[in-house]
């Protein structure tokens, strides 16, 4: 904790996550309780993260929040839920007399930034709420039940409270006490696994997840069937594939679950279409690549937008990126197209080139972020990383 005059602050970072068994649909809108369990991979914060500073002081007149440098309404119901729940847990902890820390009556200032473009459509709310809840918890000295609080900010945020491979149990209780995240395996479990985020050019912002899933719950009978009869078994299978590091099983089920989620979107009325022509071309490319090798070497998944997230093993990265470049010739050069972990140039065999003979779409993919599985939220000790100045106001953004 950094103390200066009467202002005390904490800075933390939190990861984003990508679901391989998708969450889509709530049974309780206010508590954010889902209609099915889900399972995700936490992405590494070296490439994608949210950073949040929370400051507290006797002198602050009101709670305030700045997101990516811009002040936002602190009265947002989900934000209020998180603040209220953390303060409630802090009160509970104090009544049990566990140490002393900052007074609960003081107001807080919060500043949060994403180091990835919002245009990347990468569950920024998941990393954002996970980071907010984790940082507040550090400030107030709260340790337990944090995924339950993050869930009330955004459903997928509860999975960003842990690193590695994470399942969110839907739970049964009406109060949501059993709707929590749990680690299936730590980030060190599958070191060869790599993730490519393919940022697709999109002109128009798709319908947000919250409204989209609400319409799906109201109108899609396929979604009901999926939640009741498909997901329970898939959760068990997926956890098993991960435990066994079975890429073929993991990759195939990841693709099938993404496809079924998008099928429920089309089954929604009026229909929701998150995938665009480039998304479908990427799916085609992945299947051609796998067919050429006679096994699943690469897998895609798509959330509520056209960007693809690709899973593959380390030894396939260079070749698959070369395949992407053949089908989607970059219109920007070098380091602007490839960000994150290093990718080396590779030659495609004549046979593979022929197998991928599709009409090229120059610029269809804007850029690629190469990353891997990563840990959960972290406390950042370096004062350079603080987003609020000693007065508790946002530092100018670099
Ligand atoms: C398609 O967690 O963003 O990414 O709970 O309303 O905030 P709210 O929705 P959100 O939905 C995520 C949907 C998804 C699938 C997933 O991450 O499991």
């Amino acid at each position: 904790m950094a103390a200066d005059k009467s202002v005390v602050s904490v800075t933390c970072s939190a990861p984003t996550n990508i679901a391989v068994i998708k969450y889509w649909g709530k049974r309780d809108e206010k508590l954010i309780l889902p209609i099915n369990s889900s399972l995700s991979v936490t992405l590494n914060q070296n490439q994608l993260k949210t950073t949040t500073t929370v400051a507290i002081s006797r002198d602050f007149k009101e709670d305030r929040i700045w997101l990516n440098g811009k002040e936002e309404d602190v009265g947002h119901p989900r934000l209020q839920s998180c603040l209220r729940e953390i303060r409630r847990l802090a009160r509970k902890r104090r009544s049990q007399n566990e140490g002393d820390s900052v007074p609960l009556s003081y107001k807080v200032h919060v500043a949060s930034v994403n180091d990835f473009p919002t245009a990347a459509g990468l569950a920024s709310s998941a990393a954002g709420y996970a980071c907010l809840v984790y940082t507040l918890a550090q400030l107030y000295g709260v340790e337990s039940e944090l995924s339950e609080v993050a869930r009330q900010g955004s459903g997928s945020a509860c999975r960003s409270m842990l690193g590695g491979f994470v399942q969110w149990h839907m739970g049964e209780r009406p109060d949501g006490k059993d709707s929590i995240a749990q680690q299936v395996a730590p980030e060190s479990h599958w070191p060869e696994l790599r993730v490519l985020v393919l940022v697709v050019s999109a002109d128009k912002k798709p319908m947000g997840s919250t409204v989209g899933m609400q319409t799906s719950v109201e109108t899609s009978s396929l979604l009901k069937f999926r939640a009741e009869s498909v997901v329970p078994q898939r959760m068990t299978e997926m956890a098993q594939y991960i435990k066994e590091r079975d890429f073929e099983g993991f990759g195939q089920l990841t693709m099938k679950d993404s496809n079924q989620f998008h099928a429920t979107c089309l089954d929604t009325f009026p229909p929701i279409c998150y995938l665009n022509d480039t998304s479908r071309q990427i799916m085609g490319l992945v299947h051609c690549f796998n067919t050429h090798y006679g096994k699943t070497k690469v897998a895609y998944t798509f959330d509520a937008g056209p960007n693809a997230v690709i899973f593959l093993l380390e030894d396939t990265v260079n070749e698959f990126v070369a395949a992407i470049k053949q089908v989607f010739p970059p219109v920007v050069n070098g380091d602007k197209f490839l960000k994150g972990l290093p990718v080396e140039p590779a030659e495609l065999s004549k046979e593979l080139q022929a197998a991928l003979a599709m009409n090229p779409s120059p610029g269809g993919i804007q850029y690629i972020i190469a990353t891997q599985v990563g840990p959960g939220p972290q406390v950042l000790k370096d004062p350079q990383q603080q987003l609020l100045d000693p007065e508790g106001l946002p530092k100018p953004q670099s």
Side-chain angles (χ1 to χ4, degrees):
M1 240 177 261
D4 197 286
K5 288 190 270 175
S6 61
V7 179
V8 174
S9 76
V10 191
T11 302
C12 301
S13 68
T16 173
N17 71 78
I18 177 78
V20 290
I21 301 292
K22 304 287 184 195
Y23 147 55
W24 196 251
K26 298 181 185 70
R27 61 181 202 273
D28 184 315
E29 292 282 336
K30 196 167 163 292
L31 288 173
I32 312 199
L33 302 178
I35 58 168
N36 60 257
S37 296
S38 55
L39 201 154
S40 61
V41 177
T42 298
L43 302 185
N44 202 289
Q45 292 169 64
N46 290 338
Q47 283 75 40
L48 302 155
K49 68 170 182 300
T50 294
T51 304
T52 300
T53 299
V54 179
I56 191 163
S57 166
R58 176 173 13 105
D59 301 333
F60 294 166
K61 301 277 178 297
E62 54 188 348
D63 292 332
R64 293 176 76 182
I65 186 163
W66 292 264
L67 301 181
N68 295 312
K70 189 171 161 278
E71 183 154 19
E72 301 283 344
D73 178 16
V74 78
H76 191 287
R78 290 178 170 203
L79 193 63
Q80 286 297 320
S81 299
C82 292
L83 274 167
R84 191 186 54 238
E85 284 303 298
I86 286 286
R87 284 172 170 151
R88 189 180 61 77
L89 291 174
R91 203 167 298 122
K92 186 168 135 195
R93 186 174 172 274
R94 260 160 234 198
S95 66
Q96 291 162 352
N97 242 344
E98 293 174 48
D100 58 339
S101 38
V102 293
L104 279 162
S105 56
Y106 290 5
K107 303 294 181 192
V108 293
H109 283 186
V110 180
S112 191
V113 295
N114 296 330
D115 73 351
F116 50 91
T118 317
L122 289 162
S124 56
S125 67
Y129 277 107
C131 206
L132 172 75
V133 168
Y134 188 80
T135 314
L136 284 169
Q138 294 294 323
L139 188 82
Y140 289 118
V142 175
E143 271 151 26
S144 57
E145 303 160 75
L146 295 182
S147 80
E148 212 199 309
V149 183
R151 189 200 73 224
Q152 297 182 51
S154 178
S156 52
C158 74
R159 300 185 312 236
S160 274
M161 296 303 282
L162 296 161
F165 303 82
V166 182
Q167 49 182 329
W168 171 15
H169 295 284
M170 63 176 287
E172 286 170 2
R173 291 172 55 149
D175 64 5
K177 290 265 176 279
D178 56 354
S179 189
I180 51 172
Q182 183 195 31
Q183 197 174 58
V184 175
E187 57 273 20
S188 55
H189 170 71
W190 200 348
E192 304 81 20
L193 192 66
R194 290 290 177 277
V195 181
L196 303 175
V197 181
L198 310 187
V199 180
V200 165
S201 326
D203 322 321
K204 126 173 173 308
K205 201 182 171 339
M207 178 190 286
S209 315
T210 308
V211 178
M213 68 174 79
Q214 211 167 0
T215 319
S216 297
V217 169
E218 284 159 15
T219 61
S220 169
S221 49
L222 177 58
L223 180 64
K224 189 168 153 53
F225 172 74
R226 162 179 166 76
E228 287 169 4
S229 310
V230 181
V231 173
Q233 189 173 344
R234 283 192 174 176
M235 286 293 294
T236 313
E237 281 170 14
M238 189 60 95
Q240 197 58 30
Y241 291 137
I242 291 167
K243 288 201 175 108
E244 291 166 359
R245 291 184 279 265
D246 172 348
F247 187 84
E248 292 221 51
F250 170 81
Q252 278 181 29
L253 190 52
T254 294
M255 291 190 279
K256 285 183 182 171
D257 203 71
S258 172
N259 294 341
Q260 189 175 74
F261 154 52
H262 291 280
T264 68
C265 291
L266 195 59
D267 189 49
T268 299
F269 199 80
I272 309 170
C273 301
Y274 287 121
L275 306 178
N276 66 14
D277 287 347
T278 309
S279 318
R280 282 182 285 272
Q281 268 178 303
I282 294 168
M283 293 164 68
L285 165 63
V286 167
H287 287 296
C288 276
F289 192 92
N290 290 339
T291 304
H292 172 77
Y293 281 105
K295 63 177 189 178
T296 300
K297 281 173 70 93
V298 182
Y300 54 76
T301 185
F302 297 84
D303 276 350
N307 300 320
V309 175
I310 302 286
F311 288 102
L312 68 184
L313 297 179
E314 193 182 10
D315 61 7
T316 311
V317 170
N318 295 344
E319 193 181 31
F320 187 69
V321 169
I324 292 176
K325 284 179 158 175
Q326 176 177 314
V327 180
F328 301 97
V331 293
V332 296
N333 48 10
D335 58 341
K336 290 230 169 62
F337 187 68
L338 288 172
K339 300 174 199 275
L341 296 177
V343 177
E344 301 302 327
E347 286 278 326
L348 298 182
S349 68
K350 288 268 164 331
E351 293 75 19
L352 183 53
Q353 280 186 35
L356 301 177
M358 328 163 117
N359 265 347
S361 303
I365 294 176
Q366 277 182 8
Y367 60 91
I368 299 177
I369 306 168
T371 184
Q372 58 193 340
V373 187
Q378 320 268 313
V379 178
L380 304 177
K381 299 259 197 274
D382 178 359
Q384 297 275 15
Q385 290 168 306
Q386 289 170 19
L387 302 174
L388 294 170
D389 67 15
E391 310 296 318
L393 292 171
K395 288 185 186 170
Q397 285 194 315
S398 46

